[in-house]
Amino acid sequence: MTTNTSTSVKIDDQMTQTEETFKPKNGADLLVHALKEQDVDIVFGYPGGAVLNVYDALYKNPIRHILTRHEQGAIHAAEGYARVLNKPGVVIATSGPGATNLVTGITDAMIDSIPLVIFTGQVATSVIGSDAFQEADIIGITTPITKHNYQVQDVRDIPRIIKEAFHIANTGRKGPVLIDFPKNISADLFDVSDLLGNDEPIYLPGYQPNTRPNYLQIQKAAQAISEAKKPLVLAGAGVLFADARAELTEFVEKYQLPVINTLLGLGSIHGDHELNFGMAGMHGAAVANDAIQKCDLLINIGARFDDRLTGDTKRFAPNATIIHIDIDPAEIGKNIPTDIPIVADAKEAIKALINKDFQAPDNADWLDFLRQKQNDYPYWYVEDESEILPQQIIEMVHAITGGDAIVTTDVGQHQMWAAQYYKLNNDHSWVTSGGLGTMGFGFPAAIGAQFAKPNKKVIAIVGDAGFQMTNQELALLNEYNLPVKVVIINNAALGMVRQWQELFYDGRYSQSLMPVQPDFVKLADAFGVKGYRINTIDEAASILEEAINSNEPAVIDARVKQHENVYPMVPAGKSLDDIVGVKRI
């Protein structure tokens, strides 16, 4: 390692200067200084020509940079980081293909309300629009998939833009903000004395998210809850983004209200809480879907009534008065007509309802009905003497970790089984791609989550197909000795595609089976990571226990039954009443 005897400190074998001696001199230096002002301690990225000045500035400053092996890996890692810490993740990529490789992750973050601040390099302002080398109109490309985006035109705007970007990303309905950074701006010099110490408050007259609930609406909601015989709380990701798990738990315990979750709302109440009746929606619990259809009051807190939850919207919650609490006014009434809208931060709204101190509803019979239904119609599977079932693997992972791990997933069958069979003890512990359904998300998201929470157990439950999209990031497990455990639910198929082809296309498995697979154990070994293979149910528990309880990274290839389906299931476009695969136990 090269040292500077006067001012250097060692951070990840990079040459750095102490903050006291660093004085910004060009746009790139100012960008890094502004990141430090926002308490950014880690960025995920991939360098290139248009951001060389930025990377030179990073080299001189104590912000940790994680070099992923693909820009998609960088942005999904930033999503995982943001999801578990509930603060913006930061991404840097170069212009052109570097920027366009981020588009899937930006879209994923937008639809799932993940706060990110993304920096993309751009060609010099003098050649923008000339089809210069590695030029792409990333502002035009990302306008529909960001909360806001900027292209820096003047070096003196950098502090203000970055300050605004972090504010926009992490307030209101959270989401991604992109800053496009032309190379000449990163090289422009400026007068330090004109810029440092500028602490003007953020003033965005067109962006003033409302966080406090309207008193009259709270009064209406309290009365409706008090008068209900079959009330039901639907808790979405908004509860988690508001850090309102404690308030939600207090609220439902005080008024004895049953709770169900959306996919992204899992963890907003303890998985084993007596008032928790599980996940609702396409692959939700029978009791949760039945509760929606039979309730007379549905209290939606921080969920957007997406199609995978509602099914046929015309037949959704047909008997219910709808209370919808959401920070984003655009979501209220968008998909489901709302009787009592409350535009507010979830925590503030729940606290207002707790403090209202109204009469609890008379719903003892309703709770008894739901508990009986939950007991009679649990998730189920039929054991196979010759093959491992994916549900069994996830149950074992849960047993070994005690429900205390951070779990990330891709999208598909394994995602649904993880949601069904891994009951979470904690909030900010479930990291999945909900709205966009992004294959390849789960593994790099686990890397970001592990950087965010280095002392937590992080389990990436992925499919064999999705893992092959981003498995190059295995290099990071070895490089940083990240103890991420990758559990591959390997059914040699695009599992959910195959299931739909079985159920709705008469078993015509068009391009959904993958008989030729890499040897995942050898692949892990090639990256310097220990690999395991599970071929039989008898060896599964011991292998999983050894791998998960080790302090090193691991890849576990669990060979499971290919023709196993996720149930229950509400076919697309059908009502929640049309649920199939429900079995009385």
Side-chain angles (χ1 to χ4, degrees), residues 330-389:
E331 288 298 339
I332 294 179
K334 185 177 81 172
N335 295 328
I336 298 295
T338 300
D339 301 290
I340 304 174
I342 300 175
V343 179
D345 174 79
K347 176 179 282 193
E348 295 299 324
I350 296 170
K351 285 165 61 177
L353 287 168
I354 293 171
N355 294 335
K356 187 67 179 169
D357 203 25
F358 52 88
Q359 179 67 41
D362 179 13
N363 64 334
D365 291 344
W366 172 236
L367 285 172
D368 288 343
F369 167 79
L370 293 177
R371 286 173 180 140
Q372 189 63 50
K373 181 91 177 185
Q374 185 179 47
N375 184 67
D376 290 345
Y377 296 92
Y379 295 122
W380 62 275
Y381 57 83
V382 178
E383 293 186 16
D384 191 308
E385 293 183 359
S386 60
E387 295 185 275
I388 306 170
L389 298 184

Side-chain angles (χ1 to χ4, degrees), residues 270-483:
H270 195 290
D272 286 323
H273 195 286
E274 65 175 0
L275 291 169
N276 183 357
F277 290 91
M279 181 180 71
M282 179 173 281
H283 295 291
V287 61
N289 287 337
D290 199 39
I292 289 175
Q293 296 303 88
K294 288 185 169 63
C295 70
D296 62 7
L297 178 68
L298 182 60
I299 310 158
N300 177 347
I301 308 177
R304 59 185 179 85
F305 284 131
D306 73 286
D307 61 299
R308 289 298 172 100
L309 170 76
T310 64
D312 182 357
T313 55
K314 294 179 181 178
R315 293 190 285 162
F316 177 81
N319 306 310
T321 296
I322 305 293
I323 299 172
H324 191 172
I325 300 169
D326 206 294
I327 193 75
D328 183 0
E331 288 298 339
I332 294 179
K334 185 177 81 172
N335 295 328
I336 298 295
T338 300
D339 301 290
I340 304 174
I342 300 175
V343 179
D345 174 79
K347 176 179 282 193
E348 295 299 324
I350 296 170
K351 285 165 61 177
L353 287 168
I354 293 171
N355 294 335
K356 187 67 179 169
D357 203 25
F358 52 88
Q359 179 67 41
D362 179 13
N363 64 334
D365 291 344
W366 172 236
L367 285 172
D368 288 343
F369 167 79
L370 293 177
R371 286 173 180 140
Q372 189 63 50
K373 181 91 177 185
Q374 185 179 47
N375 184 67
D376 290 345
Y377 296 92
Y379 295 122
W380 62 275
Y381 57 83
V382 178
E383 293 186 16
D384 191 308
E385 293 183 359
S386 60
E387 295 185 275
I388 306 170
L389 298 184
Q391 301 96 314
Q392 293 173 308
I393 295 295
I394 293 167
E395 283 183 325
M396 291 178 190
V397 172
H398 182 268
I400 293 166
T401 61
D404 198 41
I406 294 171
V407 175
T408 74
T409 79
D410 278 352
V411 64
Q413 287 184 317
H414 71 274
Q415 177 192 38
M416 294 298 106
W417 284 316
Q420 291 176 344
Y421 289 93
Y422 195 98
K423 292 185 177 181
L424 298 157
N425 293 350
N426 307 306
D427 54 358
H428 304 301
S429 296
W430 172 247
V431 184
T432 194
S433 176
L436 193 63
T438 304
M439 292 179 67
F441 170 90
F443 175 44
I447 290 172
Q450 191 72 81
F451 276 116
K453 295 284 184 75
N455 296 321
K456 289 287 290 186
K457 192 82 72 179
V458 177
I459 313 288
I461 298 175
V462 298
D464 49 292
F467 181 58
Q468 292 181 66
M469 292 188 173
T470 49
N471 62 25
Q472 70 275 359
E473 307 304 336
L474 280 169
L476 300 186
L477 301 193
N478 185 5
E479 182 176 353
Y480 295 98
N481 193 30
L482 296 174

Side-chain angles (χ1 to χ4, degrees), residues 54-66:
V54 175
Y55 273 82
D56 190 55
L58 284 169
Y59 186 79
K60 298 177 290 186
N61 292 280
I63 294 179
R64 193 179 195 188
H65 180 279
I66 306 303

Side-chain angles (χ1 to χ4, degrees), residues 241-260:
F241 293 133
D243 279 324
R245 172 174 158 138
E247 287 77 10
L248 176 67
T249 303
E250 181 183 353
F251 172 58
V252 299
E253 288 179 348
K254 181 174 182 177
Y255 298 111
Q256 286 298 289
L257 302 173
V259 184
I260 59 174

